[in-house]
Amino acid sequence: MQNLITTLKKPAVRKRLMIVGIAKKMAYAGFFAFTMMTTPAAARDYTVDYSASKIEFSGTHADTPFKGTFGEWAATVTFDPASIETSKIIATFKPDSAKTGDAMYDGTLPQTDWFNTKEHPQATFTSTTVRNKEGGGYIADGDLTIRGITKPVELAFTLSDLAQSPVTATGSLTINRLDFDLGKKSDGDAEWVSRDIKIDITIVATPK
């Protein structure tokens, strides 16, 4: 033991140990910096202002335009353009809250051939990827589930200035209602209600 202590006290040995220690610290620092550069930053979570936000749908019936809104829905938004790959959008809405202001439409929508709200009280959109759109804006690729049927969709959207709070997201997508068996029995040929239904979203949110 005394020989080991004596050896460690020698200037050459102490210098060598010091160099090894510095090299280890530099290696750890380099590894940490590399990890920080290669690991995507987490996107920011947003709190939705539901009083200023809305989800609307529109189409035609007997060539007459109609428009409605979903009164009950919720959304979870995580977004950062600098970390687009970690962004996420999840929305749930209750089909029985769909209102157009027309008593006939509003009485038909919850029925079995349309939303069938008793068996399917909830519809969802879950993004799988969020990406930049060529020419500006963004696209959220995701799965839309209505009446228990899930189909891939693209939600194109734009954002107001992210440096100013709150942030407003405006987007839209168009679905083929027959893909979700909406009115398939009563109007499977789309003679009365348009096959294409547009869904427009306006979400006002504040970063947490």
Side-chain angles (χ1 to χ4, degrees), residues 100-124:
T100 65
D102 184 291
M104 182 183 72
Y105 297 165
D106 294 349
T108 300
L109 288 174
Q111 294 179 8
T112 304
D113 191 36
W114 292 87
F115 281 126
N116 192 8
T117 57
K118 288 186 177 180
E119 292 189 19
H120 304 286
Q122 182 172 284
T124 61

Side-chain angles (χ1 to χ4, degrees), residues 141-159:
D141 300 294
D143 294 323
L144 178 64
T145 301
I146 301 175
R147 287 176 54 102
I149 300 172
T150 301
K151 297 290 182 180
V153 295
E154 290 185 1
L155 171 63
F157 65 96
T158 58
L159 297 173

Side-chain angles (χ1 to χ4, degrees), residues 40-168:
R44 301 183 70 179
D45 292 331
Y46 283 76
T47 299
V48 177
D49 179 357
Y50 293 100
S51 66
S53 306
K54 58 185 176 180
I55 298 180
E56 300 176 303
F57 58 92
S58 58
T60 61
H61 176 255
D63 296 326
T64 300
F66 68 83
K67 179 179 284 189
T69 61
F70 290 101
E72 295 183 54
W73 58 277
T76 301
V77 180
T78 303
F79 184 82
D80 187 345
S83 182
I84 198 78
E85 66 277 8
T86 65
S87 299
K88 188 80 173 178
I89 302 170
I90 300 174
T92 61
F93 54 97
K94 293 184 177 181
D96 64 359
S97 72
K99 302 297 180 185
T100 65
D102 184 291
M104 182 183 72
Y105 297 165
D106 294 349
T108 300
L109 288 174
Q111 294 179 8
T112 304
D113 191 36
W114 292 87
F115 281 126
N116 192 8
T117 57
K118 288 186 177 180
E119 292 189 19
H120 304 286
Q122 182 172 284
T124 61
F125 170 79
T126 303
S127 68
T128 52
T129 60
V130 179
R131 53 190 168 93
N132 293 303
K133 181 182 179 183
E134 186 175 352
Y138 307 91
I139 293 178
D141 300 294
D143 294 323
L144 178 64
T145 301
I146 301 175
R147 287 176 54 102
I149 300 172
T150 301
K151 297 290 182 180
V153 295
E154 290 185 1
L155 171 63
F157 65 96
T158 58
L159 297 173
S160 62
D161 187 356
L162 291 173
Q164 302 293 324
S165 184
V167 176
T168 300

Side-chain angles (χ1 to χ4, degrees), residues 134-201:
E134 186 175 352
Y138 307 91
I139 293 178
D141 300 294
D143 294 323
L144 178 64
T145 301
I146 301 175
R147 287 176 54 102
I149 300 172
T150 301
K151 297 290 182 180
V153 295
E154 290 185 1
L155 171 63
F157 65 96
T158 58
L159 297 173
S160 62
D161 187 356
L162 291 173
Q164 302 293 324
S165 184
V167 176
T168 300
T170 305
S172 65
L173 62 90
T174 299
I175 65 169
N176 178 346
R177 65 174 175 83
L178 297 176
D179 286 345
F180 299 92
D181 291 349
L182 292 168
K184 187 175 182 179
K185 292 182 179 180
S186 59
D187 191 25
D189 294 327
E191 293 181 2
W192 293 97
V193 180
S194 56
R195 178 179 281 103
D196 289 341
I197 301 296
K198 187 181 180 186
I199 301 174
D200 294 297
I201 68 162

